[in-house]
């Protein structure tokens, strides 16, 4: 971490610094998965894994930008082995990302089949709630800070959003869940603190006030990574689930109008309806991909 902080302090451009902060956040997620300090990786395979993880779903230009950022950082700390990555390797990642793009939209029916493979109801609830649009405003924070008292079971409403019956059934089971079976290569059962007010409870430790505090963002991201690994599906990420819900709403609105929204109309609609000011390109592309499948 000391390398990253010192490196960031030497960057004058605010936009570049933000790009590195996002990149370092992804690196911390991968560290939890690998249980290894990312600065210590040295093989080509490890660097390809890092680049693929940081650039998942990105376009040609974005993959090259991510590689340039990583290369600059690793050369700064004296780890020259990142230079083992070739142009062929970059093109391979870009090719794989094109295949990934086709899988970004996830229907509710598809997701219900996928979550049936998960043992913990809280893990199922995370994915299903995201697919219902919980997280569209602040992504992980909306889920992490969701308290049981915020859930209106009578009217199927959470954060003023209407939630489908199946998801609410899973949420109810998650509320009743008293333990969590860890995902990974070995089984470990975590007993929750029943006094926690949060839907998604954390491990009872001294650092979490015996399980009374909410999950940290890093812990939530790590959990999402493990869920994705458990399902063996790279498309199962928070943004895809949230944007799939947005795509459904966009298509319904376009059907009402009887035409496709223009770029400007879509921008205004997303801002007014969801408070979204980004992901315009992704939403438009995912919308067209879904409509093409329906033809």
């Amino acid at each position: 971490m000391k390398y990253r902080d010192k490196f960031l302090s030497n960057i004058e451009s605010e936009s570049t610094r933000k790009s590195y902060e996002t990149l370092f956040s992804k690196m911390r997620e991968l560290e939890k998965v690998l249980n290894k300090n990312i600065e210590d990786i040295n093989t080509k395979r490890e660097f390809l894994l890092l680049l693929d993880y940081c650039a998942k779903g990105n376009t040609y230009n974005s993959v090259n930008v991510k590689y340039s950022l990583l290369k600059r950082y690793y050369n700064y700390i004296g780890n020259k082995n990142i230079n083992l990555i070739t142009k062929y390797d970059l093109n391979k990642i870009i090719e794989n990302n094109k295949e990934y793009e086709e899988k970004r939209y996830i229907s509710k029916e598809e997701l219900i089949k996928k979550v049936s493979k998960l043992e913990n109801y809280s893990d199922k609830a995370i994915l299903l709630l995201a697919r219902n649009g919980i997280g569209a405003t602040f992504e992980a924070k909306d889920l992490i800070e969701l308290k049981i008292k915020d859930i209106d079971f009578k009217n199927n409403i959470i954060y003023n959003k209407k939630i489908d019956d199946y998801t609410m059934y899973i949420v109810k089971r998650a509320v009743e869940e008293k333990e969590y079976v860890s995902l990974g290569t070995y089984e470990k059962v975590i007993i929750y603190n029943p006094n926690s007010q949060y839907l998604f409870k954390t491990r009872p430790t001294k650092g979490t006030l015996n399980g009374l505090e909410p999950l940290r963002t890093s812990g939530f991201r790590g959990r999402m990574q493990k869920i994705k690994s458990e399902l063996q599906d790279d498309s199962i990420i928070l943004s895809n689930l949230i944007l799939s819900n947005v795509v459904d709403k966009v298509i319904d609105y376009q059907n009402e109008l009887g035409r496709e929204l223009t770029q400007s109309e879509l921008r205004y609609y997303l801002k007014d309806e969801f408070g979204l000011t980004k992901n315009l390109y992704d939403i438009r592309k995912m919308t067209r991909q879904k409509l093409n499948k329906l033809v």
Side-chain angles (χ1 to χ4, degrees):
M1 290 295 292
K2 63 179 181 179
Y3 289 120
R4 299 173 205 176
D5 292 338
K6 185 176 180 181
F7 178 77
L8 287 174
S9 68
N10 292 326
I11 297 176
E12 295 183 359
S13 169
E14 184 177 351
S15 61
T16 302
R17 187 164 52 250
K18 287 183 177 179
S19 295
Y20 270 109
E21 287 172 351
T22 301
L23 192 67
F24 289 161
S25 176
K26 297 292 291 184
M27 291 167 70
R28 286 193 294 271
E29 292 174 21
L30 189 58
E31 281 179 329
K32 292 182 180 295
V33 176
L34 298 178
N35 194 27
K36 182 175 184 178
N37 191 316
I38 290 299
E39 276 81 9
D40 295 333
I41 66 175
N42 52 40
T43 67
K44 182 176 180 178
R45 185 189 66 80
E46 289 175 323
F47 276 113
L48 284 173
L49 176 64
L50 173 61
L51 179 58
D52 186 57
Y53 188 81
C54 292
K56 179 65 69 178
N58 285 190
T59 61
Y60 174 86
N61 288 333
S62 294
V63 171
N64 281 282
V65 168
K66 292 286 193 307
Y67 172 65
S68 295
L69 291 171
L70 286 169
K71 187 175 180 180
R72 177 180 172 184
Y73 175 65
Y74 276 95
N75 282 320
Y76 168 81
I77 65 173
N79 189 336
K80 306 293 184 180
N81 288 329
I82 192 170
N83 297 312
L84 295 172
I85 295 179
T86 65
K87 190 68 176 178
Y88 172 83
D89 296 323
L90 292 176
N91 288 334
K92 186 64 178 176
I93 291 175
I94 292 165
E95 182 181 329
N96 291 338
N97 281 342
K98 287 180 180 178
E99 295 178 7
Y100 165 81
E101 282 290 328
E102 299 298 324
K103 301 176 183 178
R104 290 197 66 183
Y105 176 82
I106 303 167
S107 70
K108 286 187 176 181
E109 294 75 17
E110 288 176 304
L111 187 60
I112 288 172
K113 290 179 182 178
K114 292 179 187 296
V115 301
S116 66
K117 301 175 184 176
L118 297 171
E119 182 169 353
N120 301 297
Y121 281 100
S122 57
D123 288 337
K124 298 179 183 185
I126 287 174
L127 304 185
L128 290 165
L129 284 173
R131 185 57 182 79
N132 273 263
I134 303 301
T137 306
F138 298 110
E139 295 195 1
K141 184 179 178 182
D142 287 340
L143 292 161
I144 290 171
E145 297 186 354
L146 178 58
K147 297 178 181 178
I148 296 172
K149 69 176 184 179
D150 296 326
I151 304 170
D152 183 349
F153 286 102
K154 183 179 179 180
N155 299 300
N156 285 16
I157 292 176
I158 299 177
Y159 294 153
N160 295 319
K161 293 180 184 290
K162 189 71 175 176
I163 309 298
D164 66 74
D165 291 337
Y166 181 73
T167 297
M168 290 302 291
Y169 163 75
I170 295 296
V171 169
K172 188 174 188 300
R173 296 299 300 270
V175 170
E176 298 167 348
E177 204 165 50
K178 294 179 173 58
E179 60 185 33
Y180 182 84
V181 180
S182 297
L183 304 177
T185 55
Y186 66 96
E187 186 174 291
K188 181 178 180 181
V189 177
I190 298 167
I191 307 300
Y192 288 136
N193 186 333
N195 296 317
S196 172
Q197 61 184 319
Y198 297 98
L199 176 61
F200 303 112
K201 301 171 179 61
T202 190
R203 185 193 306 268
T205 63
K206 184 178 179 180
T208 64
L209 296 181
N210 194 31
L212 293 179
E213 288 193 343
L215 284 164
R216 293 188 176 90
T217 301
S218 59
F220 181 84
R221 297 290 186 188
R223 185 163 168 179
M224 282 295 300
Q225 179 64 25
K226 289 181 179 178
I227 291 173
K228 184 174 69 172
S229 298
E230 186 77 6
L231 295 177
Q232 298 181 333
D233 189 340
D234 287 339
S235 68
I236 299 297
I237 60 175
L238 205 60
S239 60
N240 284 353
L241 295 170
I242 293 169
L243 293 183
S244 292
N245 174 264
V246 174
V247 166
D248 287 345
K249 298 293 192 296
V250 170
I251 290 175
D252 288 342
Y253 185 51
Q254 289 186 160
N255 287 339
E256 289 179 21
L257 295 176
R259 61 177 177 81
E260 183 180 72
L261 293 170
T262 66
Q263 192 88 343
S264 296
E265 288 173 334
L266 180 59
R267 182 180 294 106
Y268 288 126
Y269 173 75
L270 294 175
K271 185 176 181 180
D272 291 343
E273 191 72 15
F274 305 99
L276 292 174
T277 56
K278 58 181 182 179
N279 299 120
L280 179 67
Y281 172 79
D282 290 336
I283 292 168
R284 188 179 247 343
K285 190 170 183 178
M286 289 170 70
T287 300
R288 287 173 174 170
Q289 285 173 348
K290 184 192 175 182
L291 289 174
N292 288 335
K293 289 180 180 179
L294 296 176
V295 175

